[in-house]
């Protein structure tokens, strides 16, 4: 999905006053999966220095293929994202040498996350991941797009 098409769809979703909040969130997570070519979208909420998964969304049959450990994902990668205070991403497992063991055990080969901010405060982390390698590296436009969530 092109950057321009994704932006049009983002505006369409967020401006649709007929959608409930839950439907808007589901539509946004599906859009992210399409835009980033991932199988899974997760929102992890920051709650008194703990990170709790609040919503998981799988595209198609990907639930069968993604066997990651949610605890490892939320506690390691989400915390890394929050510490960095900026998007964290990889589409090539060796690029994060410190996390190679963790990532191997949770079967994630593509990952993109960003702190999720609401009304000026950090709500948590939004992340998109896949058990498949992404053909193209994440682009600057991908990083800009995830910041819009």
């Amino acid at each position: 999905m092109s950057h321009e098409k994704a932006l049009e769809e983002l505006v369409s979703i967020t401006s649709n006053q007929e959608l409930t909040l839950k439907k808007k969130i589901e539509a946004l997570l599906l859009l992210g999966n399409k835009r980033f070519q991932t199988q899974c979208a997760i929102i992890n909420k920051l709650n008194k220095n703990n990170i709790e998964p609040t919503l998981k969304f799988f595209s198609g049959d990907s639930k069968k293929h993604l066997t990651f450990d949610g605890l490892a994902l939320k506690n390691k990668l989400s915390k890394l994202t929050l510490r960095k205070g900026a998007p964290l991403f990889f589409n090539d497992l060796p690029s994060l040498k410190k996390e190679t063991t963790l990532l191997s055990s949770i079967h994630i080969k593509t990952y993109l996350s960003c702190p999720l901010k609401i009304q000026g405060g950090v709500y948590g982390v939004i992340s998109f991941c896949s058990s498949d390698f992404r053909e193209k590296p994440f682009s600057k436009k991908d990083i800009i797009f995830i910041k819009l969530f």
Side-chain angles (χ1 to χ4, degrees):
M1 171 179 281
S2 74
H3 185 68
E4 292 75 18
K5 174 90 171 123
L7 286 173
E8 285 176 19
E9 196 168 330
L10 179 67
V11 170
S12 174
I13 293 166
T14 57
S15 64
N16 186 334
Q17 295 182 5
E18 294 177 17
L19 290 177
T20 64
L21 178 61
K22 183 178 179 183
K23 291 289 184 189
K24 279 188 181 190
I25 292 170
E26 288 175 1
L28 290 169
L29 295 179
L30 178 60
L31 171 61
N33 275 342
K34 286 193 296 188
R35 170 72 179 126
F36 304 126
Q37 301 167 346
T38 54
Q39 300 165 321
C40 177
I42 302 171
I43 293 177
N44 289 317
K45 182 180 179 184
L46 180 62
N47 189 6
K48 295 185 181 181
N49 294 327
N50 289 322
I51 300 172
E52 301 172 1
T54 56
L55 182 62
K56 294 180 185 177
F57 182 83
F58 297 88
S59 294
D61 284 342
S62 60
K63 199 170 195 176
K64 296 176 187 174
H65 305 295
L66 276 175
T67 56
F68 65 85
D69 174 355
L71 285 174
L73 176 65
K74 74 175 182 153
N75 287 336
K76 299 291 183 183
L77 295 176
S78 290
K79 284 184 180 177
L80 279 172
T81 303
L82 288 173
R83 261 185 293 205
K84 186 176 177 186
L88 172 70
F89 58 95
F90 59 87
N91 56 294
D92 177 16
L93 191 59
S95 66
L96 283 181
K97 292 185 178 161
K98 289 182 183 177
E99 308 305 329
T100 300
T101 304
L102 165 71
L103 298 172
S104 306
S105 69
I106 58 178
H107 307 289
I108 292 176
K109 296 186 175 65
T110 299
Y111 183 81
L112 173 63
S113 66
C114 187
L116 186 59
K117 297 179 181 179
I118 298 177
Q119 296 179 337
V122 177
Y123 175 85
V125 174
I126 186 167
S127 55
F128 297 92
C129 57
S130 185
S131 59
D132 298 325
F133 287 110
R134 192 169 191 269
E135 290 180 24
K136 295 183 196 174
F138 288 110
S139 68
K140 288 181 183 179
K141 287 183 178 182
D142 291 327
I143 305 310
I144 290 168
F145 192 75
I146 196 169
K147 289 178 179 182
L148 296 175
F149 282 85

